[in-house]
Amino acid sequence: MRRRGKILRFPGAPEPPVSSASSGLDDGEQGFVEVHRCDGAEAVVVKSLLESEGIPTLLRSRFAHSVHPFTVGAQGEVVILVPESEAMHSKSLLARIAPGPSYP
């Protein structure tokens, strides 16, 4: 049987840039470090807290909230990123509001 069509091979996937591949961050996230992981609702509150202290904040998630409005477990995990220079200040703010035993 004779072939009727021409076979086109897909080229290999392009290599990611070296700077992004080594850190796992996008170009817009360079210089930012992770300070907290939580669900979407908590992420909005934490972002508001950090920005009220003058700390620029990025939220990163692998979940398309516009397509799926609900999440289950770690599926909807949000990573909170801040500039490296603000990481210690951010972590101290988060430690102050962390749940723990309450004392009278």
Side-chain angles (χ1 to χ4, degrees), residues 43-54:
V44 173
V45 174
V46 171
K47 178 178 175 148
S48 297
L49 168 71
L50 296 175
E51 288 182 345
S52 71
E53 293 288 324

Side-chain angles (χ1 to χ4, degrees), residues 18 49 82:
V18 176
L49 168 71
V82 299

Side-chain angles (χ1 to χ4, degrees), residues 39 63 65 68-77:
D39 65 352
F63 193 71
H65 295 282
H68 305 286
F70 58 89
T71 61
V72 177
Q75 177 186 24
E77 182 178 67

Side-chain angles (χ1 to χ4, degrees), residues 3-100:
R3 280 193 187 157
R4 294 184 216 167
K6 182 177 180 182
I7 297 175
L8 299 175
R9 303 271 180 221
F10 286 110
E15 292 295 321
V18 176
S19 60
S20 299
S22 61
S23 65
L25 299 174
D26 294 333
D27 289 337
E29 298 173 355
Q30 291 299 322
F32 281 73
V33 293
E34 176 184 330
V35 293
H36 192 61
R37 287 179 182 249
C38 55
D39 65 352
E42 183 181 348
V44 173
V45 174
V46 171
K47 178 178 175 148
S48 297
L49 168 71
L50 296 175
E51 288 182 345
S52 71
E53 293 288 324
I55 301 171
T57 307
L58 290 176
L59 301 180
R60 183 177 64 185
S61 175
R62 293 185 179 179
F63 193 71
H65 295 282
S66 61
V67 177
H68 305 286
F70 58 89
T71 61
V72 177
Q75 177 186 24
E77 182 178 67
V78 177
V79 177
I80 300 173
L81 303 163
V82 299
E84 288 183 53
S85 60
E86 298 288 345
M88 293 305 293
H89 184 203
S90 302
K91 288 179 182 180
S92 67
L93 287 171
L94 292 171
R96 287 189 359 213
I97 64 167

